[in-house]
mmCIF file of all heavy atoms in Angstrom:
data_model
loop_
_atom_site.group_PDB
_atom_site.id
_atom_site.type_symbol
_atom_site.label_atom_id
_atom_site.label_comp_id
_atom_site.label_asym_id
_atom_site.label_seq_id
_atom_site.Cartn_x
_atom_site.Cartn_y
_atom_site.Cartn_z
ATOM 1 N N ALA B 135 18.818 6.130 -25.646
ATOM 2 C CA ALA B 135 18.796 4.668 -25.678
ATOM 3 C C ALA B 135 20.216 4.116 -25.804
ATOM 4 O O ALA B 135 20.622 3.219 -25.053
ATOM 5 C CB ALA B 135 17.928 4.187 -26.831
ATOM 6 N N LEU B 136 20.975 4.676 -26.744
ATOM 7 C CA LEU B 136 22.323 4.173 -27.010
ATOM 8 C C LEU B 136 23.215 4.295 -25.782
ATOM 9 O O LEU B 136 23.938 3.368 -25.411
ATOM 10 C CB LEU B 136 22.905 4.988 -28.170
ATOM 11 C CG LEU B 136 23.904 4.318 -29.076
ATOM 12 C CD1 LEU B 136 23.333 3.028 -29.605
ATOM 13 C CD2 LEU B 136 24.248 5.247 -30.248
ATOM 14 N N GLN B 137 23.117 5.453 -25.138
ATOM 15 C CA GLN B 137 23.938 5.715 -23.966
ATOM 16 C C GLN B 137 23.637 4.710 -22.854
ATOM 17 O O GLN B 137 24.544 4.200 -22.197
ATOM 18 C CB GLN B 137 23.636 7.142 -23.520
ATOM 19 C CG GLN B 137 24.297 7.583 -22.268
ATOM 20 C CD GLN B 137 23.968 9.035 -21.989
ATOM 21 O OE1 GLN B 137 24.253 9.928 -22.764
ATOM 22 N NE2 GLN B 137 23.339 9.284 -20.865
ATOM 23 N N SER B 138 22.355 4.396 -22.692
ATOM 24 C CA SER B 138 22.002 3.477 -21.611
ATOM 25 C C SER B 138 22.355 2.039 -21.950
ATOM 26 O O SER B 138 22.683 1.256 -21.066
ATOM 27 C CB SER B 138 20.516 3.581 -21.301
ATOM 28 O OG SER B 138 20.197 4.912 -21.043
ATOM 29 N N VAL B 139 22.297 1.694 -23.237
ATOM 30 C CA VAL B 139 22.720 0.352 -23.623
ATOM 31 C C VAL B 139 24.196 0.173 -23.269
ATOM 32 O O VAL B 139 24.596 -0.870 -22.723
ATOM 33 C CB VAL B 139 22.490 0.116 -25.132
ATOM 34 C CG1 VAL B 139 23.190 -1.147 -25.584
ATOM 35 C CG2 VAL B 139 21.011 0.025 -25.432
ATOM 36 N N LEU B 140 24.998 1.198 -23.525
ATOM 37 C CA LEU B 140 26.414 1.126 -23.148
ATOM 38 C C LEU B 140 26.557 0.913 -21.648
ATOM 39 O O LEU B 140 27.380 0.120 -21.194
ATOM 40 C CB LEU B 140 27.135 2.415 -23.545
ATOM 41 C CG LEU B 140 27.467 2.579 -25.014
ATOM 42 C CD1 LEU B 140 28.148 3.909 -25.242
ATOM 43 C CD2 LEU B 140 28.379 1.456 -25.473
ATOM 44 N N ALA B 141 25.742 1.634 -20.872
ATOM 45 C CA ALA B 141 25.841 1.511 -19.419
ATOM 46 C C ALA B 141 25.461 0.108 -18.967
ATOM 47 O O ALA B 141 26.031 -0.422 -18.016
ATOM 48 C CB ALA B 141 24.949 2.547 -18.743
ATOM 49 N N ILE B 142 24.491 -0.515 -19.665
ATOM 50 C CA ILE B 142 24.095 -1.873 -19.292
ATOM 51 C C ILE B 142 25.219 -2.854 -19.625
ATOM 52 O O ILE B 142 25.566 -3.731 -18.840
ATOM 53 C CB ILE B 142 22.790 -2.275 -20.012
ATOM 54 C CG1 ILE B 142 21.636 -1.434 -19.483
ATOM 55 C CG2 ILE B 142 22.505 -3.760 -19.816
ATOM 56 C CD1 ILE B 142 20.345 -1.636 -20.225
ATOM 57 N N LEU B 143 25.814 -2.682 -20.821
ATOM 58 C CA LEU B 143 26.851 -3.610 -21.257
ATOM 59 C C LEU B 143 28.139 -3.467 -20.455
ATOM 60 O O LEU B 143 28.798 -4.452 -20.141
ATOM 61 C CB LEU B 143 27.157 -3.407 -22.743
ATOM 62 C CG LEU B 143 26.054 -3.798 -23.716
ATOM 63 C CD1 LEU B 143 26.466 -3.458 -25.132
ATOM 64 C CD2 LEU B 143 25.751 -5.274 -23.604
ATOM 65 N N PHE B 144 28.516 -2.231 -20.149
ATOM 66 C CA PHE B 144 29.850 -2.011 -19.574
ATOM 67 C C PHE B 144 29.812 -1.348 -18.202
ATOM 68 O O PHE B 144 30.828 -0.831 -17.758
ATOM 69 C CB PHE B 144 30.685 -1.129 -20.512
ATOM 70 C CG PHE B 144 30.957 -1.746 -21.846
ATOM 71 C CD1 PHE B 144 30.184 -1.408 -22.942
ATOM 72 C CD2 PHE B 144 31.980 -2.663 -22.013
ATOM 73 C CE1 PHE B 144 30.427 -1.970 -24.180
ATOM 74 C CE2 PHE B 144 32.232 -3.231 -23.241
ATOM 75 C CZ PHE B 144 31.453 -2.890 -24.327
ATOM 76 N N THR B 145 28.672 -1.291 -17.528
ATOM 77 C CA THR B 145 28.457 -0.537 -16.283
ATOM 78 C C THR B 145 28.711 0.951 -16.491
ATOM 79 O O THR B 145 29.349 1.352 -17.456
ATOM 80 C CB THR B 145 29.353 -1.006 -15.107
ATOM 81 O OG1 THR B 145 30.663 -0.487 -15.307
ATOM 82 C CG2 THR B 145 29.360 -2.495 -14.963
ATOM 83 N N SER B 146 28.211 1.752 -15.563
ATOM 84 C CA SER B 146 28.344 3.195 -15.789
ATOM 85 C C SER B 146 29.585 3.760 -15.115
ATOM 86 O O SER B 146 29.722 4.947 -14.941
ATOM 87 C CB SER B 146 27.078 3.907 -15.304
ATOM 88 O OG SER B 146 26.667 3.381 -14.085
ATOM 89 N N GLN B 147 30.515 2.844 -14.742
ATOM 90 C CA GLN B 147 31.717 3.340 -14.092
ATOM 91 C C GLN B 147 32.678 4.015 -15.070
ATOM 92 O O GLN B 147 32.691 3.711 -16.251
ATOM 93 C CB GLN B 147 32.460 2.200 -13.413
ATOM 94 C CG GLN B 147 32.455 2.335 -11.917
ATOM 95 C CD GLN B 147 32.179 1.022 -11.256
ATOM 96 O OE1 GLN B 147 32.633 -0.013 -11.715
ATOM 97 N NE2 GLN B 147 31.432 1.055 -10.175
ATOM 98 N N PHE B 148 33.473 4.900 -14.509
ATOM 99 C CA PHE B 148 34.486 5.591 -15.288
ATOM 100 C C PHE B 148 35.662 4.633 -15.489
ATOM 101 O O PHE B 148 36.124 4.008 -14.545
ATOM 102 C CB PHE B 148 34.946 6.821 -14.503
ATOM 103 C CG PHE B 148 35.852 7.724 -15.254
ATOM 104 C CD1 PHE B 148 35.329 8.627 -16.167
ATOM 105 C CD2 PHE B 148 37.219 7.680 -15.065
ATOM 106 C CE1 PHE B 148 36.161 9.477 -16.870
ATOM 107 C CE2 PHE B 148 38.058 8.519 -15.768
ATOM 108 C CZ PHE B 148 37.529 9.418 -16.664
ATOM 109 N N GLN B 149 36.114 4.473 -16.769
ATOM 110 C CA GLN B 149 37.218 3.558 -17.023
ATOM 111 C C GLN B 149 38.257 4.213 -17.915
ATOM 112 O O GLN B 149 37.921 5.077 -18.716
ATOM 113 C CB GLN B 149 36.688 2.285 -17.694
ATOM 114 C CG GLN B 149 36.240 1.267 -16.677
ATOM 115 C CD GLN B 149 35.135 0.396 -17.154
ATOM 116 O OE1 GLN B 149 34.359 0.770 -18.021
ATOM 117 N NE2 GLN B 149 35.031 -0.778 -16.590
ATOM 118 N N THR B 150 39.491 3.766 -17.781
ATOM 119 C CA THR B 150 40.512 4.329 -18.662
ATOM 120 C C THR B 150 40.825 3.320 -19.756
ATOM 121 O O THR B 150 40.653 2.117 -19.582
ATOM 122 C CB THR B 150 41.818 4.642 -17.907
ATOM 123 O OG1 THR B 150 42.398 3.407 -17.523
ATOM 124 C CG2 THR B 150 41.553 5.487 -16.690
ATOM 125 N N LEU B 151 41.305 3.837 -20.877
ATOM 126 C CA LEU B 151 41.610 2.956 -21.995
ATOM 127 C C LEU B 151 43.049 2.465 -21.978
ATOM 128 O O LEU B 151 43.324 1.348 -22.372
ATOM 129 C CB LEU B 151 41.360 3.693 -23.322
ATOM 130 C CG LEU B 151 39.922 3.731 -23.822
ATOM 131 C CD1 LEU B 151 39.882 4.341 -25.195
ATOM 132 C CD2 LEU B 151 39.339 2.330 -23.860
ATOM 133 N N SER B 152 43.964 3.338 -21.516
ATOM 134 C CA SER B 152 45.371 2.947 -21.652
ATOM 135 C C SER B 152 45.689 1.822 -20.670
ATOM 136 O O SER B 152 45.177 1.764 -19.560
ATOM 137 C CB SER B 152 46.280 4.150 -21.404
ATOM 138 O OG SER B 152 45.935 4.764 -20.199
ATOM 139 N N ARG B 153 46.547 0.891 -21.126
ATOM 140 C CA ARG B 153 46.888 -0.257 -20.276
ATOM 141 C C ARG B 153 47.862 0.140 -19.184
ATOM 142 O O ARG B 153 47.868 -0.403 -18.102
ATOM 143 C CB ARG B 153 47.520 -1.353 -21.137
ATOM 144 C CG ARG B 153 46.497 -2.197 -21.854
ATOM 145 C CD ARG B 153 47.205 -3.229 -22.699
ATOM 146 N NE ARG B 153 46.256 -3.981 -23.488
ATOM 147 C CZ ARG B 153 46.578 -4.581 -24.628
ATOM 148 N NH1 ARG B 153 47.806 -4.501 -25.103
ATOM 149 N NH2 ARG B 153 45.680 -5.254 -25.289
ATOM 150 N N SER B 154 48.714 1.094 -19.509
ATOM 151 C CA SER B 154 49.765 1.453 -18.565
ATOM 152 C C SER B 154 49.551 2.892 -18.119
ATOM 153 O O SER B 154 50.255 3.790 -18.537
ATOM 154 C CB SER B 154 51.125 1.327 -19.242
ATOM 155 O OG SER B 154 51.090 2.026 -20.466
ATOM 156 N N ALA B 155 48.537 3.095 -17.292
ATOM 157 C CA ALA B 155 48.260 4.447 -16.845
ATOM 158 C C ALA B 155 49.398 4.938 -15.964
ATOM 159 O O ALA B 155 49.914 4.214 -15.124
ATOM 160 C CB ALA B 155 46.948 4.482 -16.079
ATOM 161 N N GLY B 156 49.815 6.179 -16.170
ATOM 162 C CA GLY B 156 50.800 6.748 -15.258
ATOM 163 C C GLY B 156 52.201 6.852 -15.820
ATOM 164 O O GLY B 156 52.896 7.822 -15.554
ATOM 165 N N ASP B 157 52.636 5.857 -16.631
ATOM 166 C CA ASP B 157 54.014 5.965 -17.127
ATOM 167 C C ASP B 157 54.051 6.333 -18.608
ATOM 168 O O ASP B 157 54.800 5.755 -19.395
ATOM 169 C CB ASP B 157 54.803 4.679 -16.854
ATOM 170 C CG ASP B 157 54.085 3.457 -17.386
ATOM 171 O OD1 ASP B 157 52.847 3.524 -17.510
ATOM 172 O OD2 ASP B 157 54.751 2.458 -17.672
ATOM 173 N N GLU B 158 53.199 7.278 -18.947
ATOM 174 C CA GLU B 158 53.197 7.777 -20.312
ATOM 175 C C GLU B 158 54.412 8.661 -20.548
ATOM 176 O O GLU B 158 54.976 9.214 -19.608
ATOM 177 C CB GLU B 158 51.963 8.660 -20.509
ATOM 178 C CG GLU B 158 50.797 7.966 -21.097
ATOM 179 C CD GLU B 158 49.722 8.992 -21.374
ATOM 180 O OE1 GLU B 158 49.279 9.667 -20.439
ATOM 181 O OE2 GLU B 158 49.369 9.112 -22.534
ATOM 182 N N ARG B 159 54.780 8.806 -21.814
ATOM 183 C CA ARG B 159 55.841 9.771 -22.119
ATOM 184 C C ARG B 159 55.267 11.176 -22.042
ATOM 185 O O ARG B 159 54.142 11.422 -22.444
ATOM 186 C CB ARG B 159 56.398 9.521 -23.513
ATOM 187 C CG ARG B 159 57.395 8.369 -23.517
ATOM 188 C CD ARG B 159 57.879 8.086 -24.896
ATOM 189 N NE ARG B 159 58.672 9.175 -25.434
ATOM 190 C CZ ARG B 159 59.034 9.229 -26.713
ATOM 191 N NH1 ARG B 159 58.646 8.303 -27.550
ATOM 192 N NH2 ARG B 159 59.778 10.222 -27.152
ATOM 193 N N VAL B 160 56.067 12.065 -21.502
ATOM 194 C CA VAL B 160 55.594 13.432 -21.290
ATOM 195 C C VAL B 160 56.577 14.399 -21.927
ATOM 196 O O VAL B 160 57.783 14.228 -21.826
ATOM 197 C CB VAL B 160 55.480 13.709 -19.771
ATOM 198 C CG1 VAL B 160 55.227 15.172 -19.529
ATOM 199 C CG2 VAL B 160 54.384 12.869 -19.164
ATOM 200 N N PHE B 161 56.071 15.372 -22.638
ATOM 201 C CA PHE B 161 56.932 16.377 -23.246
ATOM 202 C C PHE B 161 56.700 17.711 -22.566
ATOM 203 O O PHE B 161 55.612 18.001 -22.090
ATOM 204 C CB PHE B 161 56.622 16.527 -24.732
ATOM 205 C CG PHE B 161 56.694 15.241 -25.484
ATOM 206 C CD1 PHE B 161 55.561 14.460 -25.646
ATOM 207 C CD2 PHE B 161 57.901 14.794 -26.001
ATOM 208 C CE1 PHE B 161 55.619 13.263 -26.330
ATOM 209 C CE2 PHE B 161 57.966 13.596 -26.681
ATOM 210 C CZ PHE B 161 56.825 12.821 -26.845
ATOM 211 N N GLU B 162 57.751 18.520 -22.553
ATOM 212 C CA GLU B 162 57.595 19.836 -21.958
ATOM 213 C C GLU B 162 57.826 20.892 -23.019
ATOM 214 O O GLU B 162 58.835 20.883 -23.716
ATOM 215 C CB GLU B 162 58.585 20.001 -20.807
ATOM 216 C CG GLU B 162 58.069 20.949 -19.758
ATOM 217 C CD GLU B 162 58.872 20.844 -18.478
ATOM 218 O OE1 GLU B 162 58.968 19.727 -17.929
ATOM 219 O OE2 GLU B 162 59.409 21.872 -18.060
ATOM 220 N N ILE B 163 56.847 21.770 -23.172
ATOM 221 C CA ILE B 163 56.985 22.834 -24.167
ATOM 222 C C ILE B 163 56.795 24.164 -23.478
ATOM 223 O O ILE B 163 55.719 24.445 -22.954
ATOM 224 C CB ILE B 163 55.920 22.704 -25.280
ATOM 225 C CG1 ILE B 163 55.940 21.299 -25.874
ATOM 226 C CG2 ILE B 163 56.153 23.740 -26.361
ATOM 227 C CD1 ILE B 163 54.728 20.977 -26.683
ATOM 228 N N ALA B 164 57.803 24.976 -23.446
ATOM 229 C CA ALA B 164 57.714 26.343 -22.926
ATOM 230 C C ALA B 164 57.022 26.382 -21.567
ATOM 231 O O ALA B 164 56.165 27.219 -21.311
ATOM 232 C CB ALA B 164 56.987 27.247 -23.913
ATOM 233 N N GLY B 165 57.355 25.433 -20.703
ATOM 234 C CA GLY B 165 56.814 25.493 -19.351
ATOM 235 C C GLY B 165 55.502 24.761 -19.174
ATOM 236 O O GLY B 165 54.995 24.655 -18.073
#
Side-chain angles (χ1 to χ4, degrees):
Chain B
L136 210 53
Q137 176 177 300
S138 306
V139 168
L140 284 179
I142 293 173
L143 292 176
F144 297 98
T145 77
S146 43
Q147 247 137 37
F148 188 80
Q149 273 150 334
T150 68
L151 278 187
S152 51
R153 278 179 185 155
S154 51
D157 53 335
E158 265 186 301
R159 280 177 66 190
V160 170
F161 305 92
E162 209 166 304
I163 307 165

